[in-house]
Structure formats: structure tokens, C-alpha cells
Amino acid sequence: MSLFSTVFDVIVVGGGHAGSEAAAASANMGAHTLLITMNLQNIAQMSCNPAMGGIAKGQIVREIDALGGYSAIVTDKTAIQFKMLNKSKGPAMWSPRAQSDRMQFAECWRTMLEQTTNLDFYQDSVNGLLFDGDTIIGVKTALGLEIKAKTVIITAGTFLNGLIHIGEKTFGGGRAGEGASTGITEDLIAKGFESGRMKTGTPPRVDSRSLDFSKMIEQPGDDSPEKFSYLPSTKSLVKQRSCYLTYTNAKVHDLLREGFDRSPMFNGRIQSTGPRYCPSVEDKIDRFATKERHQIFVEPEGWTTVEIYVNGFSTSLPEDIQDKAIRAIAGFENVKFLRYGYAIEYDYFPPTQLTHSLETKLVKNLFFAGQINGTTGYEEAAAQGLMAGVNAAHKVQGKAPFILKRNEAYIGVLIDDLITKGTEEPYRMFTSRAEYRTLLRQDNADLRLTPIAHALGLASQERLDLVIEKREKTALLIKFLEVTSVKESEANPILEAKGLALVNQSMKLFKIAARPQLSFSDFMVIDKLNDFVTTHAIGADAIEQVEIHLKYAGYIEKEKNNADKLNRLENVMIPSTFNYQKVQSISFEAREKLMKIQPISISQASRISGVSPSDISVLLVYMGR
């Protein structure tokens, strides 16, 4: 194979989380894929915090796994701590999160990618794009190579014209120690694309040997840790490393303020928008001036390294200010810095310029995924990468785009939000963004998505068999609970131990177990239930589904009905040639937004900011409804 003569099915530009999932997905679907990255040693590097998952992000990682992606497997193999967040709330809010060993994470990703059939690698910087009219046909590299492809996926992260800021110092770079990528933005703007600038930041890394952990609050992992992947080949952690919690204080805030006049955040050198929900420490003390302290999470970067990630202290203040201020935090009095924090500005392209398949509207066969679309976070990037990889492969194979709906996956919510609403600040996923979050739980991602992934050719037969078994055993246990009665002598000791009202007659197990104060494990002392579970080898995953069904069946059914109503509007398609200018009864703002976004359905049109219910009613009349 020669790079000079081969026409690849898919070229993936960038080897971060989006690029890695994109390359794996397209290759696993049979497309001959080339992953081009500036440094092969940094494939899937955790550029910021050494963790995967969290609120809503954990659900995304589970969905990636259910679809046959690699993120969950890599996380399980390299985890040093696991926590299920929000367990005190309902199951729609439960969110898995894992700390990873940073070096093992990148190594594991590279190993898995190198074992993927149909995937080739090349180390170089892409600094131009090749077009034939309004179709992309390849890329140009810094070494002058022109590499041809049927489709191209750009996953450039923070590298597009990246600019690093530390205090009054500014220099080009995609992240510390690595150069920026130039040329791609300029080629896209020449094709008529609109671009913008965004900003993100990272905190200092420090030496754990210089910290006093006795002054901090230990944050251990779960007593019975779970894992991310649904595959039995990955295992839960047997031992874990603790994180630690400490706080800033008034003195820290005063010391930080001393550097505000030299801060690129406040002296005008950084013009772009940073992430609202992960602000820098100087931004926090400026915006929340009355708050006396802020949390600092002290997170180890691996099993054996002394490097610590100071989560909550993201900053671009001058080094001397960072040094003085951090020493006023309890436990950091004698800290030794390994790396100072910095901010980075980079180019992005407003995602309203994409279709739901993540293909650009202006250029055929060109796909964007990750931070180029204005998102922040490994998980959001990986999800987009997987979807872009699937759709690039489908484009080459002449198949229809693969699109997940809002009621099918958080990934569907993520992409629909980006395409329909756009974003002017780094987009981060939250459970509150998903109107059907009771349906989109982390525990049922396999039930929702693996059959779809198997049909695509992404999920193995082993995965599908596991899902079928889980579904069958869940149904079997629910049926048993519905038809099996327990005597008051069996039920009352359980109820009495919980301080609950007793029963005075036999009752179906289903009815008693539905009480919100009780858990399924409380009933396992009943012999007939214990025997049934043991005899039929019903595992913890099926029992979890049954328990959620017992407690939340009414809510789940209501949400399904709401989703069905949405899908009826989803099926009212708007022709691509529809002329909004002729619709005189809609508002000027609605007409402008509709012409820009070009929604494919009435449902999507209804989610565009500035399009009112009365505008939708008018459109329905024009659609013959």
C-alpha cells in the first residue's frame, strides 16, 4: 500500500477521543480507514482530567459501549477508581464515573486500534483539504503529501490555530508541548464555512510527594465498584486509589486577585467563550465573589505516578500567582509544580452547518466530530466520533445515514442540540438536557442500542446474546413476581424491620416489592424468591432492571407515550426544496432560522430557538396536516 496511490474510504484527521472512536467505527464497518495524527504516541491522550464519565457523561460512555465503541472497554482496563454518582436519586440520574491511569489509557487505546482490521496509521500534520467542487477528495499534509479519500472526518480538538495563554505569555500550540494545526480553518472558510473561537483551560499538575493528605478529606471509590462495559471480558476493580477533597479560602482568593491585571481572561487578550460549567478558578472567584470557598479535587494520574491533577483549579494566571495562591490551600503548603495551568483558544465551526449525520451541508463527504463542533469533554467527543465514523462508512457503502433520536440515546440529544440549536459556548451534556432521561438510563443502554448496533455490524453476536439473555431473564422474574403470593408471615418481618405498615393477608410479591422504601435485596430472604433467582441464574443486571420496573413503571410508560407523540411529528418530513419565503404567516425570526438550519422534520423545526408553536402550526398546514 502506498499513500501516494491509495484512495482510502475514510481519512480521520486527529487521534483524540473523537478521532479514535471514528477510526474504530469506520474500520469495524469494513471501510478502509487511515488515521492521521500529529503524534502517534499521543493517541487518545487524556489532555485534561484523568477520568471518564460523570453526570450524563457516564450514560454516554455506556451508550458508546452498547454501540460497539471502545471507550468503556479502555476505561475498565485502565481504571484506578470507580464511583456511581447520584445513587441517592432516582435511576435516571445515576451516572458512572471512573478515574483512569493516564498513561495506561493511551497505551490501551493504541493497542486496541492497532488490532483493528482495515485501519492504517500515519504520523503527520494535515494543513489543507483537497476538493473537487463541493466534494472533499482528500487532505494535504505538512510534508507535502496529497492523500486521497472518499470521505474525511475532521476531529482536530483544540489544535486548529490553537493559542496557549499563561499570564502575559502567549504562544501557538494545540496543548502543552505540541504545535497548533494551521491551514484547515482557512480552507474551510474559503469554501464558505462560518468559524468562531472558543477557550478551554487546564489546571496545574503537582507532585503528590509534596502534599499533606492528612489535611484533606479522603474520597474513596465505591465499596462494590461496578464497571462501564457490558462485556464480561472487562472486570470490576478489586483495589482502588483514593482521590482527596480540599477547599480554596479567602486568602487563596485574595492572592489570585493580585494577578487579575495580568490575566488574559481579564485584560482582553482572551476574547473567546469558555465552558460555563467548568470555569477557571479566577472566573469562579470573580463571578461568585460572595462565595467563601470552592472545592478542589486532588486526583492521582495513575497507579504508580506521583503526578496529581488539581481538579477545580483550572487557570491561566501568571506562574508566580499560581504558585503563591495554591500554597494557601490546606495540604498544598509545600507543593512542587510539575506543570502550570494554562488556557487555550482554538477554532470551531458552529454545528448548525452540519446535518444529523455530522456531514457538512456545504461540502459533501466531509464530517466534523468533537471540539470542532463546539463541544467540551472526552465523552461528547467520543460519541460524535463514533457516529461520524459510522456515517462516513455508510456514505462510502451507499447506505442511509445512521441517526439516533432524542428518545433513543443521550447521543441523539447531543447531536440534535448541536445541529438544531447550535452553541456559542463549549457544549456539555447534562441529564437535564434529555427530556426522556427516564428512558435513557445508564443501566439500559445495551437494551436500547445493542440490537441497532448489531444490525449495523458494530456489535458482536456475543453482545447481542447478552442483551437477549438480560431481556428474557428480566421478563421471567417480573412474571414470577406478578403471579407469586407471599403470606403475611413472610412479608411482615421485612416490613417491620423497615418500620413500614404491615399486611394482614397474602399479597402478590410484585405489589409489596413496589414500595419505594424497600429494595429487592430485602426480599431475597423469602425462600421461594431466592430459589427462583438461583435456579434460573438471574444476574444482578436483570435484577436491577426488575427493581427499576417495580418502582418506576408508571413514569417510564408516561415518558414512552410522550416520545411516541414526538415521533409522530418526527415523521412529518420537510422537503429539502421547501421555500420558507412563501410562508407569510410565520415570524421573520422563524423564517430566518428555518432557512439557516434547514430542518428535516417538523419535530426538529419545533426545537429551533425562535420558532414558536404558532409557526409550527402554520408549517403543518403547508405540509398538508
Side-chain angles (χ1 to χ4, degrees), residues 92-93 410 431-441 559:
M93 305 297 286
Y410 270 88
T431 49
S432 59
R433 296 192 192 274
E435 60 270 45
Y436 304 113
R437 55 188 169 274
T438 306
L439 303 179
L440 309 182
R441 306 184 309 275
E559 225 162 75

Side-chain angles (χ1 to χ4, degrees), residues 51-255:
M52 289 290 281
I55 307 301
K57 293 168 176 279
Q59 283 86 329
I60 289 176
V61 177
R62 284 265 165 94
E63 290 179 351
I64 291 169
D65 185 67
L67 288 167
Y70 290 178
S71 288
I73 297 169
V74 173
T75 302
D76 286 347
K77 288 184 175 181
T78 62
I80 63 174
Q81 187 193 86
F82 187 96
K83 276 189 172 184
M84 185 66 76
L85 307 180
N86 281 343
K87 280 291 278 187
S88 61
K89 300 179 181 179
M93 305 297 286
W94 298 350
S95 301
R97 183 182 190 272
Q99 292 288 131
S100 278
D101 184 303
R102 183 190 298 277
M103 289 183 283
Q104 286 184 11
F105 187 92
E107 180 185 16
C108 185
W109 249 113
R110 178 166 175 172
T111 300
M112 288 190 69
L113 288 173
E114 288 180 349
Q115 293 170 350
T116 300
T117 308
N118 301 318
L119 180 55
D120 295 318
F121 305 87
Y122 176 58
Q123 179 171 297
D124 201 346
S125 176
V126 171
N127 62 3
L129 304 173
L130 301 173
F131 303 101
D132 180 7
D134 63 353
T135 302
I136 195 158
I137 57 170
V139 301
K140 294 181 286 190
T141 77
L143 283 178
L145 275 70
E146 293 192 351
I147 308 174
K148 301 296 179 64
K150 297 172 186 174
T151 61
V152 173
I153 305 171
I154 300 180
T155 69
T158 59
F159 281 79
L160 292 182
N161 292 319
L163 199 60
I164 293 173
H165 300 270
I166 303 179
E168 295 170 298
K169 303 179 183 73
T170 301
F171 48 93
R175 58 184 166 221
E178 295 181 68
S181 173
T182 58
I184 292 176
T185 294
E186 292 72 17
D187 280 0
L188 291 170
I189 290 173
K191 278 290 178 184
F193 283 88
E194 174 192 347
S195 74
R197 295 283 278 176
M198 280 190 177
K199 169 252 172 191
T200 189
T202 193
R205 309 312 198 263
V206 302
D207 190 329
S208 63
R209 296 169 299 181
S210 65
L211 303 181
D212 185 349
F213 292 101
S214 68
K215 295 182 178 179
M216 305 177 194
I217 304 163
E218 187 174 6
Q219 304 282 294
D222 288 347
D223 290 336
S224 299
E226 297 181 41
K227 62 191 188 76
F228 268 109
S229 180
Y230 291 99
L231 286 175
S233 55
T234 69
K235 306 299 178 187
S236 297
L237 288 168
V238 177
K239 63 173 184 173
Q240 303 184 69
R241 278 203 71 176
S242 288
C243 298
Y244 291 83
L245 172 65
T246 184
Y247 294 90
T248 63
N249 52 57
K251 184 179 178 183
V252 175
H253 299 178
D254 289 341
L255 290 168

Side-chain angles (χ1 to χ4, degrees), residues 292-354:
E292 295 179 356
R293 65 179 192 172
H294 296 279
Q295 291 180 323
I296 300 293
F297 290 98
V298 180
E299 300 176 347
E301 298 250 348
W303 285 113
T304 57
T305 181
V306 299
E307 192 167 353
I308 291 288
Y309 181 86
V310 189
N311 197 341
F313 205 82
S314 175
T315 181
S316 58
L317 286 166
E319 301 95 309
D320 59 315
I321 298 296
Q322 293 187 39
D323 194 282
K324 278 196 299 184
I326 205 168
R327 290 179 190 278
I329 297 174
F332 281 78
E333 293 84 356
N334 299 305
V335 67
K336 291 180 181 178
F337 278 77
L338 299 179
R339 286 189 270 167
Y340 289 101
Y342 62 87
I344 182 166
E345 288 186 286
Y346 55 93
D347 293 339
Y348 86 105
F349 289 80
T352 51
Q353 300 171 102
L354 305 175

Side-chain angles (χ1 to χ4, degrees), residues 493-508:
I494 299 168
L495 299 173
E496 189 175 10
K498 295 284 185 177
L500 301 175
L502 306 182
V503 296
N504 54 17
Q505 61 182 14
S506 293
M507 197 171 283
K508 291 287 189 281

Side-chain angles (χ1 to χ4, degrees), residues 461-500:
Q461 186 63 42
E462 178 195 10
R463 280 188 180 276
L464 186 62
D465 290 344
L466 288 168
V467 167
I468 293 169
E469 182 184 13
K470 180 176 175 178
R471 183 178 287 129
E472 289 176 347
K473 290 193 173 179
T474 299
L476 188 67
L477 183 53
I478 288 173
K479 185 68 178 174
F480 176 80
L481 295 173
E482 288 173 339
V483 302
T484 303
S485 297
V486 286
K487 300 173 184 175
E488 55 266 53
S489 60
E490 295 174 294
N492 282 338
I494 299 168
L495 299 173
E496 189 175 10
K498 295 284 185 177
L500 301 175

